[in-house]
Amino acid sequence: MKRLSVNIDHVATLRQARGESEPDPVGAAFIAETAGADGIVTHLREDRRHIQDRDVYILRKTLKTKLDLEMAATEEIINIALDVVPELVTLVPERRQELTTEGGLDVAAQVARFKEVTARFHKKNILVSLFIAPAKEQVRAARSAGADFVELHTGEYANAKGSTIDDQLERLKEAAMVAAKLGLKVNAGHGLDYRNLKAVAMIDEIEEFSIGHALISHALFVGMERAVKELIDILKEAEH
Ligand code: PXP
């Protein structure tokens, strides 16, 4: 069965807009798990624009599924992650001005650096995922760096229109196949929603989907529980 990891960052975005304590992303995580989510993802950004350190530490204590800590490989955040000990860290590029994570990591250009960071996490039994474009050279570099997972960036697929959608699906499929052949586990995420999830969920090698913006947006109107369940239903449909 394909798995759903729910990214709760935007619950914190709403909280930070008011600078008070509500809505609490920890509460959202609880409802998402109760509705059937297989894990919770959260991105502790260097600028702390949404998720705060407190959220990560409380989630570590309260989650019943698993915590995937999305993060830039900077010394400050690495040290927090080594202290929190999530089940998985997903390393992503981060730029101050971006609205959201824009591209994948260029692992191929920095294999030695990612190898060193991955080894530090492995010492603490934390699995490592590298967020990359669906490009074979990046997949191979992730394998050389010792990663356990790759998360394939689905942003270009999500933005594709017309006949280019199939080209993007093909890129994702090829990258997923190369990753699986190399013994990597494959996740995918970015820009996935209620319309575009099914086609990408039909790629056999992709095991888990990390979804935030579309889910939290839908939850504003239908509630968190239903928003999660509707995505799980799409994943079930894709199995057939
Ligand atoms: N995966 C990664 C690595 C991301 O950076 C993001 C965005 O925070 C997501 C998945 C979720 O993307 P979206 O919010 O578009 O569903």
Side-chain angles (χ1 to χ4, degrees):
M1 178 65 204
K2 307 273 180 191
R3 296 189 302 267
L4 172 68
S5 246
V6 169
N7 181 316
I8 51 165
D9 293 348
H10 292 317
V11 178
T13 302
L14 190 55
R15 175 191 61 192
Q16 297 312 110
R18 198 62 190 259
E20 293 181 17
S21 59
E22 287 181 324
D24 192 333
V26 176
F30 176 78
I31 300 172
E33 283 191 325
T34 311
D38 299 288
I40 300 297
V41 192
T42 200
H43 185 174
L44 185 67
R45 293 185 67 101
E46 284 185 275
D47 61 12
R48 306 300 199 274
R49 70 168 70 154
H50 39 50
I51 291 293
Q52 306 297 305
D53 300 41
R54 160 265 184 213
D55 302 325
V56 179
Y57 280 94
I58 297 178
L59 286 167
R60 171 65 298 174
K61 289 203 182 114
T62 55
L63 290 187
K64 301 233 173 357
T65 55
K66 66 183 167 73
L67 176 61
D68 173 359
L69 184 61
E70 205 183 299
M71 52 177 280
T74 62
E75 217 36 49
E76 184 210 2
I77 308 288
I78 290 172
N79 285 327
I80 292 172
L82 290 171
D83 188 43
V84 169
V85 194
E87 278 77 13
L88 178 71
V89 290
T90 298
L91 303 182
V92 301
E94 204 173 285
R95 284 196 306 115
R96 291 270 154 149
Q97 286 78 23
E98 68 191 359
L99 291 176
T100 179
T101 317
E102 281 169 355
L105 292 166
D106 189 357
V107 184
Q110 308 165 72
V111 172
R113 166 75 180 141
F114 284 107
K115 201 170 182 173
E116 177 229 324
V117 173
T118 299
R120 285 170 75 186
F121 285 121
H122 281 171
K123 260 196 200 146
K124 281 234 167 181
N125 290 323
I126 301 168
L127 297 171
V128 177
S129 179
L130 301 179
F131 183 53
I132 55 170
K136 288 176 198 164
E137 70 275 13
Q138 296 297 346
V139 173
R140 291 196 194 99
R143 177 75 188 84
S144 305
D148 306 284
F149 290 76
V150 284
E151 181 176 331
L152 299 179
H153 195 315
T154 49
E156 285 191 34
Y157 159 67
N159 290 332
K161 292 197 170 55
S163 60
T164 61
I165 297 175
D166 283 345
D167 300 340
Q168 293 298 335
L169 277 173
E170 197 51 39
R171 275 182 82 205
L172 288 162
K173 168 123 193 100
E174 279 179 19
M177 282 170 67
V178 172
K181 266 203 195 118
L182 292 172
L184 289 160
K185 293 195 172 292
V186 189
N187 297 336
H190 210 283
L192 296 177
D193 64 22
Y194 294 81
R195 279 177 289 270
N196 64 23
L197 176 61
K198 187 170 172 185
V200 78
M202 290 173 85
I203 298 175
D204 288 342
E205 291 78 8
I206 305 179
E207 296 182 16
E208 185 166 301
F209 298 88
S210 169
I211 305 183
H213 186 83
L215 191 158
I216 303 299
S217 305
H218 194 46
L220 279 178
F221 299 109
V222 304
M224 191 71 185
E225 184 179 355
R226 188 166 142 197
V228 170
K229 285 191 165 148
E230 285 182 24
L231 282 179
I232 292 173
D233 285 347
I234 294 169
L235 292 179
K236 282 187 190 148
E237 276 173 34
E239 296 270 313
H240 299 301

